[in-house]
Amino acid sequence: MSLLRKIIAGTMVMSSVALASETRVDTLQNIGGIQDETDTFTYAGRVTHYSLALLELGTSDDAKTWAAAMTKLSPGLSMGVAVNRHTWQSSYFADENSLLMQDRFMFSALADSKSGADDAVFAPGDRSIDVLAGFALNDSDSFGLRLSMAKERAKVSSTTASTSTEQTTSATELGAGYSSVGGSAIDVGFSLLLSDDYKYADVTAGSKTGAELKAKATVIRGRWLASAKSSGLFAEGVLATRSSKATVTKANVDKTGKFSEQEMKASVGYVHAPEGQSTKMFASADLYKTSSKGPKASGNADTFASTLSTSSDAVKVDAQWINASLSGEGKFMDNFGAMFGTSYTLMGSVVEKDNLDKTKSEAEITSPSDSNMWSLGLFWATEKARVDASFAKKLLHNGPYFVAGNTTSPMLTRISATVNF
């Protein structure tokens, strides 16, 4: 479920109201009816409504930090830019327990880089930039474009030992969106991952070993809100497909395989947001369906191995489930407020057919663990600025150790700040 929950967050807000952030959306469980300015990266047509600076200060383990700014250059033209935002790249979704085989493959290829070591097979595309352009068609309709790019290259060679090691990453995604806001609101978004290429090559005395992945993806999404500024129903739909080609090289011999993946999300829900009040409630029921097929992988740069080297067979994973979410936020003192969210898997199943081991497993998709079922956060907000922070799970049960001097867990796991100029 990780891919959709990370890249699909239907959000929208007018520039005249209090600002928000990606931290807020995550704490409120990514419900499709949540309105938020980070939605410009999902529905590019929304960029015409903002003049702001956004800083995602990241998590307590120094991840997910990025910055963005966008503004109107004229009544009909808006521009924006973001740096270090990686949520559109394949490397961002690496997960050894994912329902998608490519995510499992990338986890092994990126395992060491995730822990700060430099001997991973693939280098994540750290130099990432997004450029946004929005065009106001009239008072209610707008169209936008987004271009996202990332590159990385590292090469070490020794003429004495006749060896060279090289890692390269190159990624490009194009996004487009149309938005119409009146009494109700309609947003349509489209993204095309033109290339997401990772390559590792080690040449020693003329013998080459290495790995390569070339990925492409398409995401189409749409959202309708019965009321753009107050309470009402909402609906959201997303269809995502990803196809990739992987190559593993051993002693100058290439073995090639493919990943093929599809995902679908359909949501209905209700937003309770009385006009003139800071308190908001969000409820959603979501249907997910995923299908994935591809080879296995394990190890790191020194021990990296894939079933591509020995077999053309693959693993196929099919899953479907229904999820329910409820969240809310509201001020309790002057400009200070609190957020909460909860999410629960009502029912679902997963079937994994391993043609390599000639096995088949079927299981119910379990509900979230007790710690992942809920989220809490605080915010400070005015009309011109907002700071969001999410609570660390352990804080509520362990508490901070102010006197003992012991090493403690972080109190806040993620912080964001937004300023409207």
Side-chain angles (χ1 to χ4, degrees):
M1 174 162 72
S2 59
L3 177 58
L4 281 175
R5 291 187 67 83
K6 287 177 180 177
I7 69 173
I8 299 171
T11 53
M12 177 188 64
V13 71
M14 302 297 290
S15 60
S16 60
V17 301
L19 303 178
S21 66
E22 197 171 75
T23 300
R24 171 183 178 250
V25 175
D26 284 350
T27 305
L28 296 176
Q29 299 295 325
N30 292 287
I31 294 175
I34 298 171
Q35 302 183 56
D36 189 273
E37 75 274 6
T38 56
D39 192 42
T40 53
F41 299 101
T42 303
Y43 299 109
R46 300 303 307 171
V47 71
T48 60
H49 295 272
Y50 305 103
S51 290
L52 57 85
L54 169 65
L55 179 60
E56 293 288 340
L57 298 171
T59 63
S60 55
D61 57 357
D62 298 323
K64 299 181 180 180
T65 299
W66 56 274
M70 55 194 75
T71 190
K72 291 183 179 181
L73 300 182
S74 69
L77 175 64
S78 296
M79 296 293 294
V81 64
V83 294
N84 209 50
R85 176 183 162 272
H86 304 293
T87 56
W88 55 279
Q89 295 177 253
S90 295
S91 58
Y92 182 84
F93 307 113
D95 183 350
E96 63 178 333
N97 298 313
S98 175
L99 295 174
L100 304 180
M101 292 304 299
Q102 183 180 310
D103 293 352
R104 300 184 193 180
F105 186 94
M106 291 297 288
F107 178 83
S108 294
L110 292 163
D112 286 352
S113 65
K114 281 181 170 292
S115 62
D118 58 2
D119 60 342
V121 176
F122 295 145
D126 287 336
R127 294 166 55 195
S128 174
I129 185 170
D130 298 73
V131 179
L132 297 160
F135 308 90
L137 305 178
N138 51 50
D139 290 341
S140 60
D141 300 337
S142 57
F143 174 76
L145 296 171
R146 173 178 57 85
L147 177 63
S148 302
M149 298 173 290
K151 272 188 97 171
E152 193 70 31
R153 183 174 183 266
K155 183 176 182 179
V156 178
S157 59
S158 171
T159 55
T160 304
S162 299
T163 64
S164 67
T165 302
E166 184 173 13
Q167 292 173 306
T168 58
T169 301
S170 177
T172 304
E173 183 176 77
L174 179 64
Y178 166 80
S179 294
S180 179
V181 179
S184 61
I186 295 176
D187 292 308
V188 179
F190 173 80
S191 64
L192 179 63
L193 186 64
L194 299 172
S195 65
D196 202 10
D197 302 341
Y198 303 82
K199 186 176 182 179
Y200 168 79
D202 187 315
V203 180
T204 301
S207 180
K208 179 181 177 181
T209 60
E212 186 174 6
L213 179 76
K214 292 180 176 290
K216 293 184 178 181
T218 302
V219 181
I220 303 172
R221 70 195 85 213
R223 182 187 56 181
W224 165 80
L225 294 94
S227 176
K229 298 182 180 180
S230 61
S231 303
L233 297 169
F234 75 87
E236 180 187 36
V238 184
L239 176 63
T241 63
R242 185 170 63 179
S243 61
S244 311
K245 178 182 177 182
T247 303
V248 175
T249 304
K250 297 288 186 181
N252 294 326
V253 178
D254 295 336
K255 297 290 186 179
T256 301
K258 294 182 179 181
F259 295 95
S260 176
E261 299 170 332
Q262 300 83 39
E263 295 188 303
M264 181 272 286
K265 175 190 176 185
S267 301
V268 293
Y270 186 81
V271 177
H272 178 68
E275 292 190 55
Q277 296 186 28
S278 64
T279 300
K280 297 178 177 66
M281 296 289 292
F282 310 93
S284 176
D286 312 299
L287 169 65
Y288 292 90
K289 184 176 177 58
T290 69
S291 179
S292 177
K293 183 178 181 181
K296 294 180 181 180
S298 62
N300 53 39
D302 296 324
T303 63
F304 182 79
S306 172
T307 55
L308 287 174
S309 300
T310 57
S311 174
S312 60
D313 287 329
V315 178
K316 191 174 190 302
V317 183
D318 292 292
Q320 50 278 315
W321 66 97
I322 297 176
N323 202 70
S325 301
L326 176 68
S327 62
E329 64 179 350
K331 290 183 179 179
F332 58 81
M333 184 182 64
D334 295 329
N335 295 324
F336 290 92
M339 302 177 285
F340 85 93
T342 182
S343 182
Y344 191 78
T345 303
L346 299 176
M347 63 181 69
S349 61
V350 57
V351 177
E352 183 166 326
K353 187 177 181 181
D354 191 334
N355 291 323
L356 297 157
D357 298 335
K358 309 304 179 185
T359 60
K360 180 180 179 180
S361 61
E362 302 178 62
E364 296 295 312
I365 290 183
T366 59
S367 62
S369 65
D370 289 348
S371 63
N372 291 327
M373 182 179 169
W374 58 272
S375 54
L376 288 176
L378 294 174
F379 67 87
W380 173 88
T382 68
E383 189 173 339
K384 292 293 184 181
R386 175 161 174 150
V387 177
D388 294 291
S390 57
F391 271 116
K393 303 284 186 177
K394 294 182 179 180
L395 176 71
L396 299 182
H397 301 286
N398 289 345
Y401 298 97
F402 291 117
V403 179
N406 297 332
T407 301
T408 63
S409 299
M411 186 171 72
L412 303 174
T413 58
R414 187 171 181 175
I415 305 175
S416 304
T418 312
V419 177
N420 187 346
F421 53 80

